[in-house]
């Protein structure tokens, strides 16, 4: 079956690039039905969009002919994916708030398909806390993003806000289309976030992990159709939509939660598990003593990954992460063998902005060799990894 998308074109100067996107998609055998917002019609004409897409352009929600030919609910479900390009600050905010005051937002609210947004706006608008709030809410609702990129904008300013190039958006669309259903029928387990190892009821040892990479991987596996369990340490970010979310605090709880979901076809261990914990967690708050500060004695925590990888109910495909700050590849290769993983994803957590940030540069190490991926969004690392997992598990859409 040829694949198709519904393309919502927002009102921004980048709208002209959407015409190029339709052309690129056609070359790849992907059909487009376009929806224009009122503002978009100021930048591109419905006639040029319909000439390129080969379909009528949808614009007015209350047009009776539109509703009799194809209602907005049907339109929103007629394709394999809904893409918003350019996604303006206004469209992002309206969808994040759940508004349905035009055909574009009604389509977004009514769809049962995955949604991809390609934001485009002035750099200040992008950085504004209100837009960042919308972004966070939309990601938590499972919306995928491509871009924005850094660059000079039509308004002359420089920074993030430029819409991704049509070729890049087409790549992201193809990845999402092929991910769909590729892991249906498989069970996945993902660990994410830090752990908290208590000293007493008010103090704990922990680390800087945000959980972003693990949450993105759980979201990508779920999107690809895997029945996904996310075992998460205490993270501040909103959890993705997954079949099961098990929240834990300590390494020992994380191990028990993981064991409770076995067997699984694939397990991805992204959690930054604390290697040690205080030997005793006091029941009451430790008070200042006469003799000065207490001496902490640490004991080893269980290694969740290694325990599962060497256990009798070993997941079919075991994928570890290696957080390194020096000799990244050498240490990661060693870790892959020592911990008994099939694949290990090495990342340089010493690089600025990785721990807690949105981007990552990783190397995928398997028994066949090492692949170095370019720097990309954590969400893209996740989509790419999910695609590789689907390839390995042998079911590609
Ligand atoms: N891991 C785990 N349980 C632990 C420690 C680590 O499951 N107690 C997993 C992590 O989720 C990751 C991999 O093991 O997939 C490697 O974690 P990393 O922190 O890089 O390595 P460590 O084992 O902690 O080794 P080191 O701190 O010496 O680099």
């Amino acid at each position: 079956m040829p694949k198709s998308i519904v393309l919502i074109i927002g009102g921004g100067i980048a709208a002209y690039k959407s015409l190029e996107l339709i052309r690129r998609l056609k070359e790849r055998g992907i059909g487009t039905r376009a929806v224009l917002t009122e503002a978009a019609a100021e930048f591109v004409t419905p006639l040029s969009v319909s000439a390129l897409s080969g379909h009528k352009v949808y614009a007015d929600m209350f047009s009776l002919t539109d509703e009799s030919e194809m209602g907005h609910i049907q339109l929103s479900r007629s394709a394999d994916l809904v893409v918003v390009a350019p996604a303006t600050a206004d469209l992002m905010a309206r969808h994040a708030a759940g508004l349905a005051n035009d055909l574009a937002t009604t389509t977004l609210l009514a769809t049962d398909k995955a949604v991809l947004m390609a934001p485009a706006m002035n750099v200040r608008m992008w950085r504004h806390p209100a837009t960042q709030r919308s972004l966070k809410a939309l990601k938590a609702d499972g919306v995928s993003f491509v871009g924005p990129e850094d660059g000079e904008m039509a308004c002359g300013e420089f920074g993030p806000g430029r819409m991704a190039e049509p070729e890049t958006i087409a790549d992201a669309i193809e990845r999402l289309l092929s991910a769909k259903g590729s892991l249906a029928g498989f069970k996945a387990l993902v660990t994410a976030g830090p752990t908290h190892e208590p000293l007493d009821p008010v103090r704990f040892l922990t680390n800087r992990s945000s959980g972003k990479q693990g949450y993105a991987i759980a979201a990508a596996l779920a999107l690809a159709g895997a029945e996904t369990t996310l075992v998460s340490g205490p993270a501040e970010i909103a959890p993705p939509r997954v079949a099961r979310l098990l929240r834990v605090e300590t390494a020992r709880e994380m191990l028990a939660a993981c064991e409770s979901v076995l067997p699984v076809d694939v397990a991805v261990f992204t959690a930054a598990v604390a290697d040690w914990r205080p030997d005793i967690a006091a029941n009451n708050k430790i008070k200042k003593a006469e003799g000065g500060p207490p001496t902490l004695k640490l004991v080893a925590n269980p290694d969740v990954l290694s325990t599962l990888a060497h256990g009798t109910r070993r997941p079919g495909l075991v994928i570890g992460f290696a957080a390194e700050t020096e000799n990244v590849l050498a240490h990661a290769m060693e870790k892959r063998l020592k911990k008994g993983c099939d694949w290990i994803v090495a990342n340089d957590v010493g690089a600025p902005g990785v721990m807690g940030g949105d981007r990552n540069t990783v190397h995928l190490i398997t028994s066949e060799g090492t692949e170095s991926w370019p720097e990309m969004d954590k969400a893209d690392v996740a989509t790419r990894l999910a695609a590789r997992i689907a390839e390995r598990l042998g079911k590609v859409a």
Side-chain angles (χ1 to χ4, degrees):
M1 264 264 285
K3 306 249 168 147
S4 68
I5 64 157
V6 164
L7 174 64
I8 296 174
I9 305 180
I13 190 79
Y16 76 91
K17 286 198 203 169
S18 303
L19 300 178
E20 185 62 22
L21 174 63
I22 298 173
R23 201 175 283 134
R24 294 268 164 269
L25 291 173
K26 202 189 241 169
E27 283 165 12
R28 299 176 189 216
I30 301 168
T32 303
R33 273 183 200 279
V35 172
L36 245 62
T37 63
E38 205 181 323
E42 303 285 331
F43 294 92
V44 289
T45 68
L47 194 63
S48 51
V49 176
S50 89
L52 272 172
S53 67
H55 288 288
K56 167 178 178 11
V57 170
Y58 298 81
D60 181 0
M61 187 165 149
F62 297 107
S63 150
L64 283 178
T65 40
D66 283 4
E67 283 298 307
S68 58
E69 278 171 22
M70 185 185 280
H72 61 276
I73 305 275
Q74 203 190 336
L75 173 67
S76 73
R77 297 182 184 175
S78 63
D80 303 291
L81 180 72
V82 177
V83 179
V84 188
T88 58
D90 175 71
L91 258 177
M92 285 175 62
R94 284 193 288 138
H95 185 44
L99 297 183
N101 49 4
D102 63 1
L103 181 59
T105 45
T106 309
T107 304
L108 285 167
L109 211 56
T111 191
D112 57 351
K113 299 297 173 5
V115 175
L116 171 71
M117 290 192 169
M121 66 197 73
N122 166 276
V123 56
R124 282 171 211 273
M125 291 171 79
W126 173 252
R127 287 194 174 133
H128 196 285
T131 304
Q132 293 301 312
R133 260 198 316 275
S134 305
L135 177 69
K136 201 169 159 197
L138 292 168
K139 281 188 175 172
D141 288 346
V143 175
S144 304
F145 283 85
V146 51
E149 290 172 357
D150 276 2
E152 195 174 334
M153 276 169 287
C155 53
E157 281 181 82
F158 191 89
R162 248 176 91 97
M163 187 166 88
E165 291 305 319
E167 203 65 43
T168 313
I169 302 175
D171 285 348
I173 290 172
E174 265 205 304
R175 272 203 302 276
L176 284 170
L177 288 177
S178 65
K180 217 179 112 246
S182 58
L183 284 170
F186 289 100
K187 274 179 80 174
L189 163 68
V190 179
T191 70
T195 62
H196 283 183
E197 308 296 335
L199 249 82
D200 68 15
V202 297
R203 303 181 177 100
F204 53 80
L205 295 182
T206 190
N207 57 62
R208 292 187 194 279
S209 165
S210 64
K212 281 181 187 167
Q213 186 61 82
Y215 279 31
I217 289 170
L221 293 173
L223 195 71
E227 186 194 324
T228 306
T229 302
L230 171 61
V231 176
S232 175
E236 299 284 314
I237 56 174
R241 274 200 254 173
V242 285
R244 206 172 307 116
L245 170 67
L246 302 176
R247 289 189 188 272
V248 298
E249 290 227 333
T250 66
R252 286 180 294 174
E253 287 168 12
M254 186 168 275
L255 176 60
C258 289
E259 284 175 331
S260 76
V261 301
L262 297 178
V264 294
D265 300 292
V266 54
V268 188
F269 298 88
T270 68
V273 186
D275 293 317
W276 314 284
R277 65 177 185 275
D279 66 338
I280 359 181
N283 287 330
N284 292 310
K285 186 181 164 202
I286 302 168
K287 302 293 284 179
K288 277 197 280 294
E290 294 265 307
T295 305
L296 285 187
K297 185 168 175 240
L298 301 177
V299 293
N301 261 332
D303 190 306
V304 182
L305 161 57
S306 188
T307 309
L308 265 65
H310 292 104
T312 50
R313 288 181 299 159
R314 186 184 192 275
L317 180 63
V318 175
I319 306 173
F321 264 68
E324 307 292 349
T325 54
E326 53 184 359
N327 296 331
V328 177
L329 286 179
H331 281 157
M333 284 173 188
E334 207 178 292
K335 226 172 240 181
R336 185 180 82 84
L337 297 175
K338 199 172 85 193
K339 299 218 177 201
C341 352
D342 300 302
W343 299 353
I344 201 153
V345 181
N347 61 342
D348 183 354
V349 289
V354 171
M355 216 70 174
D358 287 321
R359 296 183 68 80
N360 212 349
T361 308
V362 306
H363 312 269
L364 176 65
I365 303 171
T366 68
S367 59
E368 282 120 50
T370 300
E371 262 177 43
S372 294
W373 295 357
E375 187 198 306
M376 58 180 100
D377 236 58
K378 288 183 175 174
D380 293 327
V381 170
T383 314
R384 214 158 149 165
L385 188 64
R388 295 300 306 271
I389 293 170
E391 252 170 62
R392 172 54 71 99
L393 296 184
K395 209 177 146 205
V396 182

